[in-house]
Amino acid sequence: MPTLDAPEERLRKFKYRGKDASMRRQQRMAVSLELRKAKKDEQALKRRNITNVSSDPASEQLTKGVSLNLQEIISGVNASDPDLCFQATQAARKMLSRERNPPLKLIVEAGLIPRLVEFLKSSLHPCLQFEAAWALTNIASGTSEQTQAVVESGAIQPLVELLSSPHMTVCEQAVWALGNIAGDGPEFRDLVISSNAIPHLLALVSSTIPITFLRNITWTLSNLCRNKSPYPCKKAVKQMLPVLFHLLQHEDGEVLSDTCWALSYLSDGCNERIGQVVDTGVLPRLVQLMTSSELNILTPSLRTVGNIVTGTDHQTQVAIDAGILNVLPQLLMHPRSSIQKEAAWALSNVAAGPCQHIQQLIACGTLPPLVALLKNGEFKVQKEAVWTVANFTTGGTIDQLIQLVHSGVLEPLVNLLTIQDPKIVTIILDVISLILKAAEKLSEKENMCLLIEEIGGVDKIEALQLHENPHVALTALNIIENHFCEGEENGTILPALDQDCEFLNHLTKNYQGPTTSKPRTTP
C-alpha cells in the first residue's frame, strides 16, 4: 500500500395598512419567500470532486497503467488484499470523478457503498481511506436517493471520526463528504449534527490550514445552517456562530461568501433566531461586505441584513446603526436588477418601522433612487419599491408624507396604475388615498387633487372603477367619491397652480413639521 504524507492543494414582509410594525413584518414574510423562490439558490447544495489528482505519487505509481472495468472493480473492492482493494477503489473514484456523465447509478447498483464505508475505518491504510472518502463524496453529490444510499450504509459516523485523522487529505475529504450529505436536506443535516460533527469541524478551523481546506470547512458549515423545515437545533447554532463571526473577518472571497450564506440561513426566521445572529456583533462587517464588488459576497451579505431588518424595531435599529442606510441607496442603483430588488425589499422593511426609522431613511438620501426605480426599474423591482412607499405612507408622519410627495413619487405611482397586477394596483390606490387624507388634514386636499389630475391620475383611477377585480374597482370608486366629487357637487372649481412645485412649496409652508437631519456620510 502507498503512504499518505503530503497535504494536497485541490479542491417580510408586508408591513402595511393599519397594522402595527410587527404584524406588517409578519405579513411581508410572504414577499421574502417570493424573493427566495424567484431564482435558484446561488450557493451550491452539493459539490462533486472532479480534480484529477491522486493521494500521493506512490499511489499513482501503484495504479499506473492499471485500467479496470466495472466487474474488475467489484471483484477488487471485495478482495481481502488491501492493495487490490486500493486499486479498485481508486479506479471507482476516477470513474466517479469524470466531468461528464459519471456512473453514479452503476456504482450504487453494484453494491460498492458498504465496502467503501468499511474502508473508511482502515486506519492502517490512509490512502485507502482517502480514496473511499472521495468516492463516497461524489456518490453523495448525486440525487437524494444516492445520498440516502451512502447514509443508510452507515457512512456518517466513520466520516465524522475521520475529521480527527492525522492525515490532512483524509480529513479534508471527510469534510467534503459530510458537506454533501448535510446539503441534501434537513433530515440528513440533523443526522450529521447528532453525530457530533460540529465540534470536530470547528476544531479544524485554523490559520495554518490550506485555504482550500478552510473553504471546504466553511461550505460544510453553511450546509449545516441551511434549511428551516425544521431549523438546525439551537445548540448547533450556538456552537457555530462564534466561528462564523471569526470566518467573516477572513479575506478569501469563497470563505466570505459561504460564511454570509450561512448567516443568511440562520437569520431567515423568527425574531429569536435573528437575535442570535445580531447578538454576535456581525452587522458592521456584513454592512461593510454589502459594498463589495464581488457579487458572490454582496448577494448573501445583503440577504442576511435584509433578513435582520424583518425583525424587531430594535434589531432594525442595530442594522441602521451599523450603516445599512448609507449603503442601500447605492444598491438601489446597482447595475443588476436582482440586487436592486433585494435592496428595495430590505428598505421596505426599514420603512415599516416607526417614524424615527423613516426619518433616518429620508436623511440618508434613499428617496431619489427609490423614485428612479419606480420610474425606470424592471417590474419586479418596481413592485418592491411600491411596497416601500406603502410602508412609508402607513407609518410616516404628515411631514414625512410631504417629503415623500416632494420627492416626485406620485407620477410614477400613477403610471403604474395600468399594470396587470391587482394586488400592486390596490396598494398604489391605498397610498394615493393616504396621501389625500394627509393633505386634507392640512386643508390642502383641493391642491393635491389638482396635482393628481394634472399627472393623469384621475382618469386612471376613474377607469379602474370598471376593473375586473372587485377590490380594485371598489377602492378606486371610494377614492373618486370621497375626494374627487366634492367640487362637482358643490359647484366649486379647483384652484389652478402653474407648476406642481408651486403647490408642493405651498403645502410645505402650511405645515412646518420637524426639520430633516443632514444626510449621514459614509464613514
Side-chain angles (χ1 to χ4, degrees):
M1 287 283 292
T3 58
L4 184 68
D5 47 15
E8 60 178 314
E9 292 292 329
R10 53 155 225 289
L11 244 248
R12 215 160 286 232
K13 294 174 182 183
F14 172 29
K15 312 169 178 183
Y16 185 58
R17 278 186 64 169
K19 306 272 176 120
D20 61 34
S22 175
M23 273 301 295
R24 297 198 302 267
R25 281 193 173 101
Q26 289 172 18
Q27 292 177 332
R28 190 82 168 98
M29 184 67 73
V31 177
S32 73
L33 292 175
E34 288 173 11
L35 278 171
R36 308 292 184 267
K37 293 173 182 177
K39 54 186 176 180
K40 291 184 178 178
D41 206 324
E42 293 88 342
Q43 193 198 29
L45 284 163
K46 300 179 181 180
R47 295 172 176 173
R48 190 162 59 92
N49 185 357
I50 58 173
T51 315
N52 187 25
V53 296
S54 63
S55 47
D56 70 352
S59 68
E60 188 64 32
Q61 183 64 35
L62 183 68
T63 58
K64 188 175 182 180
V66 176
S67 178
L68 304 179
N69 59 36
L70 182 58
Q71 192 56 50
E72 290 169 333
I73 288 174
I74 294 171
S75 298
V77 163
N78 289 293
S80 57
D81 182 348
D83 285 341
L84 291 177
C85 290
F86 173 80
Q87 289 182 12
T89 301
Q90 188 176 70
R93 181 268 295 173
K94 288 183 176 181
M95 277 189 178
L96 294 166
S97 300
R98 291 178 193 164
E99 192 161 357
R100 294 185 179 182
N101 304 318
L104 274 68
K105 185 178 179 182
L106 287 176
I107 296 293
V108 173
E109 291 176 347
L112 297 183
I113 293 178
R115 282 292 284 170
L116 294 175
V117 171
E118 284 299 312
F119 295 157
L120 296 177
K121 306 169 187 176
S122 302
S123 57
L124 296 178
H125 306 292
C127 284
L128 180 57
Q129 288 179 309
F130 171 76
E131 293 291 352
W134 189 342
L136 290 168
T137 296
N138 286 358
I139 295 171
S141 75
T143 65
S144 289
E145 291 75 16
Q146 289 160 349
T147 308
Q148 183 176 352
V150 173
V151 172
E152 289 181 347
S153 295
I156 292 179
Q157 195 57 53
L159 284 170
V160 170
E161 291 172 8
L162 288 182
L163 297 179
S164 302
S165 170
H167 305 280
M168 187 177 295
T169 49
V170 173
C171 185
E172 180 176 1
Q173 198 59 59
V175 169
W176 196 332
L178 290 168
N180 277 345
I181 291 170
D184 188 78
E187 181 184 357
F188 292 163
R189 175 205 67 196
D190 290 344
L191 284 176
V192 172
I193 291 173
S194 64
S195 298
N196 204 35
I198 291 177
H200 291 87
L201 282 168
L202 300 182
L204 294 171
V205 177
S206 162
S207 58
T208 61
I209 63 173
I211 189 61
T212 54
F213 195 0
L214 185 62
R215 288 170 181 166
N216 270 332
I217 294 170
T218 308
W219 173 73
T220 296
L221 288 173
S222 75
N223 271 355
L224 292 171
C225 296
R226 190 193 285 262
N227 290 303
K228 57 180 185 178
S229 297
Y231 285 96
C233 65
K234 291 181 181 179
K235 179 184 176 182
V237 174
K238 189 175 180 180
Q239 287 175 320
M240 289 186 284
L241 275 172
V243 173
L244 292 174
F245 175 85
H246 169 72
L247 292 171
L248 202 63
Q249 317 309 315
H250 208 277
E251 294 183 357
D252 181 73
E254 288 187 37
V255 170
L256 286 173
S257 178
D258 286 329
T259 303
C260 288
W261 279 118
L263 292 170
S264 78
Y265 305 142
L266 296 180
S267 59
D268 184 13
C270 65
N271 293 344
E272 182 183 359
R273 291 189 177 274
I274 292 172
Q276 283 185 289
V277 175
V278 171
D279 291 346
T280 62
V282 295
L283 266 167
R285 176 61 169 161
L286 285 170
V287 171
Q288 182 184 22
L289 294 174
M290 284 167 58
T291 64
S292 173
S293 59
E294 299 295 325
L295 202 63
N296 68 329
I297 297 173
L298 166 57
T299 300
S301 59
L302 173 57
R303 176 74 59 84
T304 305
V305 175
N307 286 340
I308 289 170
V309 296
T310 69
T312 65
D313 288 342
H314 170 70
Q315 290 162 348
T316 301
Q317 186 61 55
V318 176
I320 293 172
D321 293 342
I324 179 180
L325 291 178
N326 292 326
V327 181
L328 285 181
Q330 305 165 34
L331 297 182
L332 292 174
M333 299 182 286
H334 195 275
R336 278 187 171 261
S337 62
S338 60
I339 297 298
Q340 295 173 0
K341 179 178 178 179
E342 294 235 4
W345 169 66
L347 191 63
S348 74
N349 284 311
V350 176
C355 59
Q356 295 90 336
H357 290 176
I358 293 174
Q359 193 59 39
Q360 290 173 289
L361 180 154
I362 295 170
C364 289
T366 57
L367 290 182
L370 184 68
V371 172
L373 286 183
L374 285 169
K375 288 180 178 178
N376 304 313
E378 291 185 18
F379 180 57
K380 64 180 182 180
V381 182
Q382 289 177 315
K383 287 170 64 174
E384 290 299 326
V386 168
W387 282 112
T388 304
V389 173
N391 293 342
F392 188 114
T393 55
T394 302
T397 64
I398 291 179
D399 181 60
Q400 289 167 343
L401 263 64
I402 291 171
Q403 294 178 72
L404 180 66
V405 173
H406 226 301
S407 71
V409 75
L410 273 174
E411 186 169 1
L413 282 179
V414 164
N415 290 338
L416 287 170
L417 286 174
T418 58
I419 63 173
Q420 302 300 311
D421 187 325
K423 185 176 182 180
I424 297 299
V425 170
T426 302
I427 293 170
I428 295 172
L429 289 173
D430 285 338
V431 167
I432 292 171
S433 180
L434 285 169
I435 290 173
L436 284 166
K437 288 175 183 177
E440 189 171 21
K441 291 179 181 178
L442 302 176
S443 301
E444 292 291 345
K445 191 178 83 167
E446 289 182 348
N447 291 330
M448 182 64 76
C449 288
L450 179 64
L451 174 58
I452 292 171
E453 184 173 7
E454 287 181 345
I455 60 178
V458 177
D459 291 340
K460 289 184 174 68
I461 296 170
E462 285 180 338
L464 289 173
Q465 294 177 104
L466 303 176
H467 198 279
E468 60 183 9
N469 183 288
H471 191 53
V472 171
L474 181 60
T475 307
L477 175 64
N478 287 336
I479 291 176
I480 295 298
E481 288 186 344
N482 293 332
H483 302 289
F484 291 96
C485 289
E486 295 174 4
E488 297 175 10
E489 293 171 0
N490 300 331
T492 58
I493 301 174
L494 294 176
L497 293 176
D498 292 337
Q499 295 180 356
D500 294 347
C501 63
E502 184 181 339
F503 158 65
L504 293 171
N505 291 332
H506 178 61
L507 185 62
T508 305
K509 288 176 183 176
N510 272 271
Y511 179 78
Q512 295 295 332
T515 56
T516 305
S517 60
K518 292 181 180 179
R520 291 183 291 165
T521 56
T522 305

